[in-house]
């Protein structure tokens, strides 16, 4: 089993809707989690990090971590066309910040 | 100027050729990474270095080698390129005193092996 799994999508939502992106992980990835956004033809950029169970909010973005169920999610409220990108979930194995990435999910926000 | 730069940005080469991809950073970070990205496969770690004297293999190091010439420079070499090494290659950096997993990526090098 790959250590970090993402539904490959793509995911399409209308402008203004909530986009929900999900990620599951194996026991080897259990410390902290990160969401990277990658626009087409660009490099990934970090948008959210979460270490503790529960929710973490930053503007229109909310990261959720449930360690008992081994999933992490990213909610994007009031989705905008500019949110259209590939979102990569990554977990820190705890071994000095070596990240394991999921395959990514492509989000398309329809105007 | 960009904090993490990669050269070349695009490269087309032939099977069996030796290729070097270079990465430089001005962020002052001690940790550097090389990833490859294939469509539908996400980012896969090739090699990583936590300081000049510390280099480690990642998930897919076979067919690749690296050199950390200085804290700011980390090069990736393909000794004898093969077509399935055609991919987008990213260099990334992070600071050991900062947030774990907070990595800064270069613009990428698109490599095509014919």
């Amino acid at each position: 089993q790959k250590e970090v799994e993402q539904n490959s999508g793509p995911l399409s939502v209308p402008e203004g809707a909530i986009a929900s992106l999900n990620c599951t992980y194996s026991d080897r990835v259990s410390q902290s989690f990160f969401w990277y956004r990658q626009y087409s033809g660009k490099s990934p950029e970090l948008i959210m990090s979460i270490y503790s169970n529960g929710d973490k909010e930053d503007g229109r973005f909310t990261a959720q971590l449930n360690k008992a169920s081994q999933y992490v999610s990213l909610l994007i409220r009031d989705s905008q066309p500019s949110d259209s990108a590939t979102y990569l979930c990554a977990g820190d194995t705890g071994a000095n910040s070596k990240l394991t990435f999921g395959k990514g999910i492509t989000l398309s926000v329809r105007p | 100027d960009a904090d993490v730069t990669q050269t070349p940005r695009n490269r087309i080469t032939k099977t069996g050729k030796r290729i070097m991809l270079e990465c430089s950073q001005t962020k002052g970070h001690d940790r550097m990474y090389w990833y490859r990205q294939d469509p539908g496969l996400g980012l896969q770690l090739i090699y990583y270095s936590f300081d000049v004297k510390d280099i480690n293999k990642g998930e897919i190091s076979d067919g690749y080698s690296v050199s950390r010439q200085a804290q700011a420079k980390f090069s990736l070499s393909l000794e004898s390129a093969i077509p399935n090494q055609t991919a987008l290659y990213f260099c990334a950096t992070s600071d050991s005193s900062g947030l774990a997993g907070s990595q800064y990526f270069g613009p990428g090098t698109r490599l095509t092996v014919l």
Side-chain angles (χ1 to χ4, degrees):
Chain A
Q1 178 191 2
K2 189 167 172 58
E3 295 171 333
V4 176
E5 298 273 2
Q6 285 183 262
N7 183 330
S8 59
L11 176 66
S12 180
V13 300
E15 184 174 356
I18 296 175
S20 178
L21 313 175
N22 301 310
C23 177
T24 58
Y25 61 90
S26 69
D27 288 340
R28 289 191 59 203
V29 182
S30 61
Q31 302 299 315
S32 48
F33 298 88
F34 306 84
W35 283 98
Y36 282 78
R37 177 177 63 198
Q38 185 176 20
Y39 291 115
S40 180
K42 301 296 185 182
S43 54
E45 59 175 331
L46 179 67
I47 57 172
M48 288 287 286
S49 58
I50 187 165
Y51 309 99
S52 305
N53 271 326
D55 295 358
K56 179 181 178 183
E57 187 174 318
D58 183 1
R60 295 186 296 110
F61 297 94
T62 299
Q64 299 175 319
L65 176 59
N66 183 321
K67 291 191 175 184
S69 300
Q70 294 185 300
Y71 81 78
V72 58
S73 62
L74 179 69
L75 301 179
I76 305 175
R77 291 182 301 281
D78 187 24
S79 295
Q80 301 297 309
S82 59
D83 295 325
S84 297
T86 296
Y87 290 81
L88 300 163
C89 172
D92 180 349
T93 62
N96 294 321
S97 300
K98 184 164 68 74
L99 292 180
T100 297
F101 284 85
K103 294 181 180 181
I105 183 168
T106 298
L107 171 67
S108 175
V109 181
R110 308 186 301 271
Chain B
D1 288 342
D3 295 320
V4 184
T5 58
Q6 292 183 234
T7 56
R9 294 293 311 279
N10 289 283
R11 182 71 184 268
I12 300 173
T13 190
K14 294 182 179 180
T15 297
K17 294 292 187 181
R18 184 178 188 274
I19 296 295
M20 179 180 285
L21 309 183
E22 298 185 335
C23 177
S24 295
Q25 53 112 348
T26 59
K27 298 189 74 65
H29 289 171
D30 48 351
R31 297 177 174 181
M32 299 186 74
Y33 311 80
W34 275 105
Y35 294 92
R36 67 176 278 174
Q37 188 173 41
D38 298 279
L41 291 181
L43 288 164
Q44 296 174 281
L45 183 62
I46 307 172
Y47 271 95
Y48 59 104
S49 170
F50 288 156
D51 65 40
V52 175
K53 296 181 180 180
D54 178 57
I55 292 179
N56 305 278
K57 293 182 178 181
E59 309 167 52
I60 55 163
S61 58
D62 288 348
Y64 302 94
S65 63
V66 291
S67 173
R68 185 85 183 265
Q69 301 94 324
Q71 186 186 41
K73 296 183 182 295
F74 193 34
S75 299
L76 176 71
S77 293
L78 289 68
E79 297 301 326
S80 180
I82 57 177
N84 78 357
Q85 291 177 313
T86 293
L88 184 56
Y89 290 84
F90 286 105
C91 172
T93 73
S94 69
D95 184 355
S96 58
S97 66
L99 289 173
S102 179
Q103 297 187 8
Y104 296 84
F105 285 79
T109 294
R110 186 167 298 280
L111 177 66
T112 302
V113 183
L114 301 175

